[in-house]
Amino acid sequence: MDTTVTLTGTGTPLPVPGRAGPGTLLRCGEWAAQVDAGRGTVLRLAELGLRCPQIGLLALTHYHSDHLVDMADLVLTRWVQGEFDPLPVLAPEGPTARFARRVLDNWEDDIAVRSHHGGRPTPPALDVRTFTPTETPTTVWRSGTVDVSAVAVRHEPVEDAVAYRFDTSDGAVVVSGDTRVCAEIEQLARGVDVLVHEACRTEVLRARGKDFIADYHADTVELGVMAERAGVATLVLTHLEPGPTTGDEANTFAEEVRRGGFSGQLVVGEDHTTVPVSSEPVSSTAAVD
C-alpha cells in the first residue's frame, strides 16, 4: 500500500520510557505529513528512516506544550539537512498559529551563526497556513491526491483545538488531537479506514483525584461507543492516559474500548506502530485486539 499511518509518539506531558510526545506521521507515496511534534519527534522520524526535509506538511492540532515542544527541532533540523524552502504548517487561527509564527524567535543567534558559517543561502522559514475552526468539517489543504479537512473539537478550556482528516487515494485517516469524545469527531470520522484517537482511562484518573485531566480527554468506553456508531474500520489508540508501562496495562485500554461496543480492528498504540490505510493487517508490535 502507498499510504500508511505511523505513531511517532504515544505519550502525554508526563514522560514514560519508550513513549515520545504526541505525533502521527502519514505517508502517501513520496509525500509525508506530520501531525503535531511532541518531544522526540525528530528522533522517531530518524528511526523510521525519514529525514526532516521529507516532511511536506506539519499540521498542528492545538497549543499544548506536549504537542509542540519538538516543532523547533523539526524546522531547524530540516534546514540543517539542506532544505531551504519554507515548511508548510497548518494551524488553527489563535494561540496555535501565534506559537507557529514565533517558534524560531529564540533561535535567532544560532540561525545567524549557522547561516554565516555554513554558507546557507536563507534562514529556516515556515509557511503558516491558518484557518478558523468550525463545528462542521472544512477543507483546509490540498496537495496532489491528498485532501485535508479539519473540525473543531472539545478540549475546553483550550481554545481552537482541531482534528484533521486526510482523504487519500487509498482511503481516509482521521487524527483526533486532544479532545473529549464528541459529535464533531464522530462526523469527521464517519466511515474512515483509520481513526487515530487519544484515549483516557477516566475511571482510573478520577480515582486518583485527577478529575481536571479526565474532564477534557476521551473516555475509553465512550470512545468505543462513538467509533462503533461512526463505522470506523481500524481504531488506533494514542496519547494514552495514564501512560501504560506494562502490556497488561496497555491491554486494559482495549478492554474498555470493547466494553463500549467497538467491533472493528483495534490497536493500542506504541511508538512506531504502523497501520496501512487498507484492509491489510497491522504491522507493529502493538497490542492488537
Side-chain angles (χ1 to χ4, degrees), residues 21-23 35-41 58-75 89-92 95-100 103:
V35 181
D36 289 336
R39 71 167 65 92
T41 294
L58 175 61
L60 306 178
T61 62
H62 66 296
Y63 56 92
H64 262 155
S65 61
D66 56 316
H67 290 253
L68 298 179
V69 72
D70 217 37
M71 181 177 171
D73 190 18
L74 175 60
V75 177
V89 176
L90 268 178
T96 308
R98 288 198 297 272
F99 177 89
V103 70

Side-chain angles (χ1 to χ4, degrees), residues 229-243:
R229 192 166 54 222
V232 172
T234 298
L235 175 61
V236 181
L237 308 183
T238 190
H239 198 282
L240 304 175
E241 184 74 58

Side-chain angles (χ1 to χ4, degrees), residues 20-281:
T24 303
L25 173 72
L26 179 88
R27 302 177 78 170
C28 187
E30 297 299 314
W31 187 80
Q34 177 71 29
V35 181
D36 289 336
R39 71 167 65 92
T41 294
V42 170
L43 291 178
R44 287 289 185 259
L45 291 175
E47 291 162 357
L48 292 165
L50 253 71
R51 300 172 72 252
C52 292
Q54 292 175 261
I55 301 299
L57 175 68
L58 175 61
L60 306 178
T61 62
H62 66 296
Y63 56 92
H64 262 155
S65 61
D66 56 316
H67 290 253
L68 298 179
V69 72
D70 217 37
M71 181 177 171
D73 190 18
L74 175 60
V75 177
L76 289 167
T77 302
R78 180 177 181 270
W79 179 64
V80 168
Q81 290 178 329
E83 179 55 69
F84 303 117
D85 289 336
L87 172 65
V89 176
L90 268 178
E93 193 55 77
T96 308
R98 288 198 297 272
F99 177 89
R101 295 186 185 106
R102 300 184 301 210
V103 70
L104 297 179
D105 288 357
N106 289 333
W107 299 99
E108 289 180 354
D109 294 328
D110 172 79
I111 291 167
V113 74
R114 289 186 190 276
S115 296
H116 176 73
H117 183 245
R120 293 180 170 85
T122 58
L126 297 86
D127 179 10
V128 180
R129 313 279 185 92
T130 66
F131 58 92
T132 300
T134 61
E135 294 181 356
T136 57
T138 303
T139 300
V140 293
W141 174 271
R142 284 193 171 95
S143 177
T145 59
V146 180
D147 285 354
V148 184
S149 52
V151 71
V153 295
R154 306 306 300 269
H155 196 42
E156 294 91 346
V158 174
E159 302 172 20
D160 300 324
V162 299
Y164 290 101
R165 173 170 172 147
F166 296 81
D167 284 284
T168 79
S169 57
D170 292 317
V173 178
V174 166
V175 181
S176 73
D178 282 4
T179 179
R180 303 195 304 274
V181 174
C182 63
E184 292 85 353
I185 282 281
E186 183 173 345
Q187 181 182 12
L188 189 70
R190 191 164 300 283
V192 295
D193 299 275
V194 180
L195 170 59
V196 178
H197 204 293
E198 69 132 273
C200 178
R201 298 184 63 208
T202 59
E203 290 181 2
V204 173
L205 290 179
R206 294 192 192 284
R208 296 177 182 177
K210 303 291 186 181
D211 289 37
F212 74 98
I213 296 176
D215 284 345
Y216 70 165
H217 286 291
D219 177 76
T220 44
V221 177
E222 293 179 9
L223 178 56
V225 174
M226 184 273 287
E228 179 69 13
R229 192 166 54 222
V232 172
T234 298
L235 175 61
V236 181
L237 308 183
T238 190
H239 198 282
L240 304 175
E241 184 74 58
T245 57
T246 68
D248 287 343
E249 289 178 358
N251 288 335
T252 305
F253 281 83
E255 292 168 4
E256 293 181 0
V257 171
R258 290 298 189 202
R259 196 194 315 162
F262 181 65
S263 61
Q265 182 167 247
L266 176 60
V267 181
V268 181
E270 298 177 358
D271 291 18
H272 291 174
T273 292
T274 297
V275 178
V277 183
S278 71
S279 59
E280 297 295 323

